[in-house]
Amino acid sequence: MQIERQVIPRVIPWVICIFASDAVYGGPLDSWNDTAAKKAIIAFVEKVTHEGSPDFVPPAERIAVFDNDGTLWAEQPMYFQLLFALDRVKALAPQHPEWKDSEPFASLLKGDVKTALSGGEKAVGEIVAATHAGMSTQEFETIVLEWIATARHPKTGKPYTDMVYQPMLELLEYLRANGFKTFIVSGGGIEFMRPWSERVYGIPPEQVVGSSIKTEYEVRDGKPVIVRRPEVDFIDDKSGKPIGIHSHIGRRPIFAAGNSDGDFQMLEWTTAGEGPRFGLIVHHTDAEREWAYDRESHIGQLKQGLDEAPQRGWTVVSMKDDWARVFASDAAK
Amino acid sequence: MQIERQVIPRVIPWVICIFASDAVYGGPLDSWNDTAAKKAIIAFVEKVTHEGSPDFVPPAERIAVFDNDGTLWAEQPMYFQLLFALDRVKALAPQHPEWKDSEPFASLLKGDVKTALSGGEKAVGEIVAATHAGMSTQEFETIVLEWIATARHPKTGKPYTDMVYQPMLELLEYLRANGFKTFIVSGGGIEFMRPWSERVYGIPPEQVVGSSIKTEYEVRDGKPVIVRRPEVDFIDDKSGKPIGIHSHIGRRPIFAAGNSDGDFQMLEWTTAGEGPRFGLIVHHTDAEREWAYDRESHIGQLKQGLDEAPQRGWTVVSMKDDWARVFASDAAK
């Protein structure tokens, strides 16, 4: 829904009032401990929404971008989309008897992901082509929705969408209630996230930016389809993130949240703009409730971000210290 | 601004109420004559917004897409973006003395567009590279904004943004007031439209889809910039339009408006979806108030669309018969 800019200030009180009475998420940022990180977020939002303040930002420019893997949901022991691909290889194996003798599939089918991925980019390309391409976009959406509804995480046994971070859901909601438009900007596949992003995060497909493969428009038996081709189109990671933001959103965000050095340029681009800006890094410090990893991790490596956050004024959120609750599926305290 | 789906029905009465009291555009579709086209639009909108109706479409799925050149603003005697490029060539000529002796620039500087463009794709590529690339995205935005504020149309002498169609502005507004999200899906350059689309059409940059050149993220003297490169990235025309829609929006529109065969696939993709759909073609039939052209035109050619509109159920809008007023700058009747 599109609302004229001048109308928004008059609508907001009603929207906030309605949100408060719905109380879907409890109070704002309820799962955040009362630490410096939470205070910094609230101070920023109050500052940019306070009309007449020198830091006031008109609603149309309140763009907030969020990485997905490791920022909105977990990413261990490997990216969930890779686990999806592995499940697809198993499901498709009966139609591909030749996979038993050819890498990377032979190792994958034996459960040896490490050997399978030792083939590097070529191996990943073959897995993507076999599991993500060759079907129409509608068929792929159906496959993703079925998987997301039935698959279980290998360690927690939970549905993957239960492994989204409750404090981040509250942050998304808090920003939207204050007139922000929230976007996902992820290295993950754009079409892998879109089918469920609205239900899980309240973020509609048109506000999801991600990596993509090429597609082609065809008319088959009089019915138009968009077909997914086994060729990379765009990688929305590192320097690709500002490019993806610019291509899809067309203006610079004022708020960015990530968790790894793949988000460094997105945070840099966002916070280098003029006026008030907020950069947030989710630091995985909680080996008990989630995972603890950063500088040396093979997934979600965070090194440059940790080193430069202080001088760049970015807020580093420690899962262990700043979050009262981690997963949406955990009981509220 | 992002509003939760369940909130919208409760917000809409307030929004409509506010719009009515602002009366920016007068009544809905005021500049449309009371013909079949107007009635069909209203019947469609009432049908999809009537809760409980079998044709009801939830607000989140009310996606409407509009071509720009020839659909929202004029496109004669040539695409306005080409006129922009010609003005840029003239402005940059003093820095390029070599252009006097090399095509396509030599002919352009003599005002002979036809000869300049006789070089085909290569010539167009060179003009685009010289006028649209080599600067940062911020610099390009400034150039576009300055041009759009000062340039005048060669025939009417009006600012180009005065040559937007009043009935289409009212249609955009009417759809938004009924919970639609409106997008531009144009063969024109995405970065050429975004700087002024919000002010002129009420369509924010993140809802503009268009053709693009490649860009690169760089840090120059500690400041990040996105630089425009002289290489085509994506052509948002013909079969490219459904691809652009899918990439940027991620769901199929239920309403599409175009004016040429460049919009054929967008109309086809939109109206082939299940449930209620609306396809609209603006037919340039008014040689007096605008221009009259279709099958044989070198710009905005409309042939297949005219032939197939009846069997596909698309509404062909005749400017001459269906519009009481053409340009936003014309006096209201």
Side-chain angles (χ1 to χ4, degrees):
Chain A
M1 167 160 196
Q2 179 56 32
I3 298 178
E4 285 259 302
R5 190 189 283 200
Q6 67 269 30
V7 170
I8 288 177
R10 278 175 282 172
V11 175
I12 282 178
W14 291 102
V15 175
I16 289 169
C17 167
I18 288 161
F19 271 106
S21 71
D22 273 14
V24 179
Y25 293 100
L29 308 184
D30 252 9
S31 303
W32 291 70
N33 289 325
D34 204 21
T35 52
K38 177 176 178 171
K39 284 174 189 158
I41 292 168
I42 292 173
F44 174 79
V45 169
E46 290 184 345
K47 178 168 79 172
V48 300
T49 55
H50 183 73
E51 242 172 306
S53 141
D55 289 320
F56 179 75
V57 176
E61 288 163 34
R62 292 182 204 155
I63 303 289
V65 289
F66 289 79
D67 170 56
N68 185 39
D69 299 304
T71 300
L72 294 180
W73 73 355
E75 60 181 353
Q76 297 286 1
M78 61 186 94
Y79 295 129
F80 294 177
Q81 192 172 356
L82 185 52
L83 291 163
F84 162 77
L86 303 190
D87 284 350
R88 289 303 298 158
V89 166
K90 281 178 210 150
L92 293 167
Q95 298 159 47
H96 293 276
E98 75 281 8
W99 283 357
K100 270 193 307 229
D101 308 307
S102 69
E103 292 295 352
F105 303 103
S107 296
L108 281 187
L109 290 171
K110 284 182 223 139
D112 182 359
V113 178
K114 206 178 158 190
T115 304
L117 297 185
S118 66
E121 260 184 48
K122 187 169 167 287
V124 172
E126 285 180 47
I127 297 168
V128 168
T131 58
H132 284 67
M135 71 290 278
S136 76
T137 52
Q138 276 176 307
E139 285 161 351
F140 187 69
E141 184 180 339
T142 304
I143 292 167
V144 170
L145 281 174
E146 199 185 302
W147 182 83
I148 208 89
T150 56
R152 294 292 180 273
H153 186 272
K155 192 185 157 194
T156 65
K158 291 178 184 178
Y160 290 97
T161 49
D162 276 8
M163 294 178 69
V164 300
Y165 304 129
Q166 179 63 24
M168 297 305 280
L169 291 184
E170 293 168 8
L171 176 55
L172 287 169
E173 195 53 41
Y174 174 62
L175 290 172
R176 289 192 292 253
N178 281 283
F180 281 76
K181 209 165 181 175
T182 53
F183 290 78
I184 291 174
V185 177
S186 167
I190 189 167
E191 304 228 31
F192 176 72
M193 298 178 283
R194 279 173 161 170
W196 48 270
S197 64
E198 188 155 26
R199 177 177 63 80
V200 175
Y201 299 132
I203 296 179
E206 62 269 25
Q207 286 161 224
V208 177
V209 182
S211 297
S212 56
I213 59 177
K214 299 214 168 172
T215 57
E216 237 166 43
Y217 183 75
E218 278 176 30
V219 179
R220 289 182 178 171
D221 304 324
K223 282 212 95 177
V225 286
I226 295 176
V227 180
R228 293 170 58 78
R229 295 199 41 234
E231 197 184 334
V232 168
D233 181 48
F234 177 65
I235 301 291
D236 191 48
D237 196 32
K238 299 193 171 72
S239 297
K241 289 208 173 193
I243 300 296
I245 287 170
H246 191 72
S247 157
H248 280 260
I249 308 178
R251 47 184 153 201
R252 206 192 288 225
I254 65 165
F255 186 108
N259 77 298
S260 80
D261 285 345
D263 304 312
F264 189 87
Q265 287 84 354
M266 171 170 87
L267 286 158
E268 178 179 62
W269 174 243
T270 299
T271 57
E274 279 171 32
R277 306 278 158 167
F278 202 93
L280 186 156
I281 294 177
V282 174
H283 190 192
H284 294 263
T285 50
D286 197 326
E288 200 183 313
R289 295 185 299 176
E290 207 245 5
W291 283 271
Y293 57 97
D294 47 37
R295 294 176 184 275
E296 306 303 331
S297 177
H298 64 296
I299 274 187
Q301 187 178 53
L302 177 65
K303 212 163 142 179
Q304 197 184 1
L306 276 185
D307 290 339
E308 300 194 18
Q311 79 227 37
R312 289 179 181 265
W314 299 344
T315 297
V316 178
V317 171
S318 162
M319 275 196 173
K320 189 172 174 180
D321 304 319
D322 294 322
W323 288 1
R325 181 176 162 189
V326 174
F327 292 122
S329 57
D330 297 340
K333 292 227 169 175
Chain B
M1 166 161 195
Q2 179 57 31
I3 298 179
E4 285 259 302
R5 189 189 286 199
Q6 67 267 32
V7 170
I8 289 176
R10 278 175 283 171
V11 174
I12 282 178
W14 291 104
V15 175
I16 289 169
C17 167
I18 287 160
F19 271 105
S21 72
D22 272 14
V24 178
Y25 293 101
L29 308 184
D30 252 8
S31 303
W32 291 71
N33 289 325
D34 203 21
T35 52
K38 177 176 179 171
K39 284 174 189 158
I41 293 168
I42 292 174
F44 175 79
V45 169
E46 289 184 346
K47 178 168 79 171
V48 301
T49 54
H50 183 73
E51 242 172 307
S53 143
D55 289 321
F56 179 75
V57 176
E61 289 163 33
R62 293 183 204 154
I63 303 290
V65 290
F66 289 79
D67 170 58
N68 186 40
D69 299 304
T71 300
L72 294 180
W73 74 355
E75 60 181 353
Q76 297 286 1
M78 60 186 94
Y79 295 130
F80 293 177
Q81 190 172 357
L82 185 52
L83 291 163
F84 162 77
L86 303 190
D87 284 350
R88 290 303 299 159
V89 166
K90 281 178 211 152
L92 293 167
Q95 298 159 46
H96 293 276
E98 76 279 10
W99 283 355
K100 270 192 304 225
D101 308 306
S102 69
E103 291 298 349
F105 303 103
S107 295
L108 281 187
L109 291 171
K110 282 181 226 140
D112 182 359
V113 178
K114 206 178 158 190
T115 303
L117 296 186
S118 66
E121 262 184 46
K122 188 170 167 285
V124 173
E126 284 179 48
I127 296 168
V128 168
T131 57
H132 284 68
M135 69 292 277
S136 76
T137 52
Q138 276 175 307
E139 287 161 349
F140 186 69
E141 185 180 336
T142 304
I143 292 167
V144 170
L145 282 174
E146 198 185 301
W147 182 83
I148 209 88
T150 56
R152 294 292 180 271
H153 186 272
K155 191 185 156 194
T156 65
K158 290 178 183 176
Y160 290 97
T161 50
D162 275 8
M163 294 178 69
V164 299
Y165 304 129
Q166 178 64 23
M168 297 305 279
L169 291 184
E170 292 168 9
L171 176 54
L172 288 169
E173 195 54 38
Y174 174 63
L175 291 172
R176 290 193 291 254
N178 281 283
F180 280 75
K181 208 165 180 173
T182 53
F183 290 78
I184 291 174
V185 177
S186 167
I190 189 167
E191 304 228 31
F192 176 71
M193 297 178 284
R194 279 174 161 170
W196 47 270
S197 63
E198 189 155 26
R199 177 177 63 80
V200 174
Y201 299 132
I203 296 179
E206 61 269 25
Q207 286 161 224
V208 176
V209 182
S211 298
S212 56
I213 58 176
K214 299 214 168 172
T215 57
E216 237 166 43
Y217 183 76
E218 278 176 31
V219 179
R220 288 181 178 172
D221 305 324
K223 283 211 96 179
V225 286
I226 295 177
V227 179
R228 293 169 59 78
R229 295 198 40 234
E231 195 183 336
V232 168
D233 182 47
F234 177 66
I235 301 291
D236 191 48
D237 196 32
K238 300 193 172 72
S239 297
K241 290 209 172 192
I243 300 296
I245 287 170
H246 191 72
S247 157
H248 279 260
I249 308 178
R251 48 184 153 200
R252 206 192 288 225
I254 66 166
F255 186 108
N259 77 297
S260 80
D261 285 345
D263 304 312
F264 189 88
Q265 287 84 355
M266 172 171 87
L267 286 158
E268 178 179 62
W269 174 243
T270 299
T271 56
E274 279 171 32
R277 307 276 158 168
F278 202 93
L280 185 154
I281 294 177
V282 174
H283 190 190
H284 294 264
T285 50
D286 197 328
E288 199 183 314
R289 296 184 299 176
E290 207 244 6
W291 283 270
Y293 58 97
D294 47 35
R295 294 174 184 276
E296 305 303 330
S297 177
H298 65 295
I299 274 186
Q301 186 178 53
L302 177 66
K303 210 164 145 180
Q304 196 183 2
L306 276 185
D307 289 340
E308 301 195 18
Q311 79 226 39
R312 290 179 181 264
W314 299 342
T315 297
V316 178
V317 171
S318 162
M319 275 196 173
K320 189 173 176 178
D321 304 318
D322 294 322
W323 287 1
R325 181 176 162 188
V326 174
F327 292 122
S329 57
D330 296 339
K333 291 225 168 176

